[in-house]
Amino acid sequence: MKNSTTSGAGSLYVVATPIGNLGDITQRAIEVLSNADLIAAEDTRHSSRLCQHFSIDTPLRAYHDYTDQKQTEAMLDLLNSGKDIALISDAGTPLISDPGYRLVKIARDAGIRVVPVPGACAMAAALSVAGLPSDKFCFEGFLPAKAGQRLNALEALLDEERTMIFYEAPHRIIDSLAAMSEVFGADRELVLARELTKTFETLISGAAAEVLAAVEADHNQRKGEMVILVKGCEASAKQLDANVEHMMRCLLAQLPVKQAAQIGAEITGLRKKELYQWALDNKDD
């Protein structure tokens, strides 16, 4: 358990920046970036334009997934010497499919105070306007680039009942939508959120095959930053074998649903998730 911080050390601020519209930056983010001793940026050329726009003259240093251990340790030395560092990515919230995990972990392990400065996030923005269930969701990031690995990754999510959120690159959007239509079914509801907060912001929703057709028909829909949201599968209504059903009813008469499903799964070898859903649907029968 890590609660204490190193006395005299600086702080590492994890700062969200706009995903498109510069008006989405928070006043707190501007203050933190202005007052930090150093900004660790995914791409200093990209971030310099942001800093110029808001008249921020804090020094920039590159920090990305390919930063070597020596540079990471140099930043830790700065933090230990009392310097404050602001970590930003090219857009949105760092560490959400962006660099920063190594630096955050090494700082926390060293007792450095790590402070979130929340703001724009493409994943959250897309979910808020998709019109898909948002009470439960999972973020899957980018799918594998290779076709076989992509299909395997999607097949592993076949039983996922939560709304699934993916990021995708423009040059792979057709392949990914086609794979989703194949694995989840052409009728599975999904939403493509493209260029959020920017001039050409677009949301396309419908059955997987329909969204795929719309993107294939319009080359402009294959440009920019993309988020794909897929509705989770329906809870299984599968009927149980008569003997298994009798056993489950006996268990439910004496035990809570969760425990009954656990024991039922251990006895029958069936999936706990399947038995749990059946128990929820039948506990009051």
Side-chain angles (χ1 to χ4, degrees):
M1 181 177 294
K2 302 179 182 69
N3 287 317
S4 60
T5 56
T6 302
S7 178
S11 297
L12 174 63
Y13 293 90
V14 182
V15 184
T17 56
I19 58 176
N21 191 320
L22 293 178
D24 291 336
I25 197 166
T26 67
Q27 184 59 41
R28 184 183 175 208
I30 294 174
E31 292 172 357
V32 169
L33 293 175
S34 298
N35 295 327
D37 296 292
L38 177 71
I39 297 174
E42 182 178 1
D43 185 333
T44 56
R45 294 167 299 178
H46 177 92
S47 297
S48 64
R49 294 192 291 271
L50 177 75
C51 290
Q52 288 171 7
H53 182 84
F54 291 104
S55 301
I56 297 168
D57 58 8
T58 305
L60 288 162
R61 182 179 299 179
Y63 186 87
H64 44 73
D65 280 339
Y66 307 105
T67 300
D68 61 29
Q69 186 65 23
K70 185 176 180 180
Q71 290 186 58
T72 301
E73 291 174 355
M75 289 194 182
L76 181 61
D77 289 341
L78 287 173
L79 289 165
N80 278 320
S81 71
K83 302 296 185 182
D84 291 333
I85 296 177
L87 173 68
I88 62 174
S89 61
D90 283 351
T93 302
L95 279 74
I96 308 300
S97 276
D98 279 333
Y101 164 76
R102 283 193 298 146
L103 183 57
V104 168
K105 176 165 176 51
I106 196 171
R108 285 184 53 78
D109 287 346
I112 301 295
R113 179 170 173 254
V114 180
V115 183
V117 182
C121 175
M123 173 189 73
L127 182 63
S128 73
V129 296
L132 296 177
S134 56
D135 56 332
K136 295 180 181 179
F137 61 90
C138 59
F139 177 61
E140 297 295 326
F142 286 91
L143 286 166
K146 294 184 178 179
Q149 294 175 355
R150 184 188 302 120
L151 286 173
N152 289 339
L154 291 172
E155 287 168 357
L157 296 167
L158 262 175
D159 294 330
E160 180 56 67
E161 296 174 9
R162 298 170 293 180
T163 295
M164 294 165 276
I165 306 174
F166 304 86
Y167 285 168
E168 193 48 279
H171 64 281
R172 290 199 297 263
I173 188 62
I174 293 290
D175 291 339
S176 287
L177 289 173
M180 289 176 179
S181 182
E182 176 183 342
V183 174
F184 297 134
D187 294 331
R188 178 70 70 90
E189 185 178 359
L190 63 79
V191 176
L192 172 62
R194 189 181 69 85
E195 291 289 85
L196 289 173
T197 80
K198 300 174 185 176
T199 302
F200 299 105
E201 176 180 282
T202 308
L203 274 83
I204 304 175
S205 59
E210 294 173 340
V211 176
L212 172 60
V215 175
E216 287 178 327
D218 185 354
H219 184 74
N220 288 324
Q221 301 307 321
R222 286 170 258 163
K223 299 177 182 178
E225 303 293 328
M226 301 184 177
V227 185
I228 307 172
L229 304 96
V230 183
K231 186 176 182 180
C233 72
E234 298 295 332
S236 175
K238 182 179 177 181
Q239 295 297 311
L240 298 180
D241 175 87
N243 291 329
V244 176
E245 181 175 330
H246 175 71
M247 178 200 70
M248 287 300 298
R249 292 191 184 280
C250 291
L251 290 171
L252 284 172
Q254 303 294 327
L255 299 169
V257 168
K258 185 176 181 180
Q259 192 173 357
Q262 176 67 45
I263 293 175
E266 292 175 357
I267 294 173
T268 64
L270 295 174
R271 293 169 61 243
K272 178 183 174 182
K273 184 177 179 181
E274 179 183 330
L275 295 177
Y276 183 83
Q277 186 59 53
W278 183 93
L280 287 177
D281 294 341
N282 294 273
K283 65 178 179 178
D284 297 322
D285 288 1

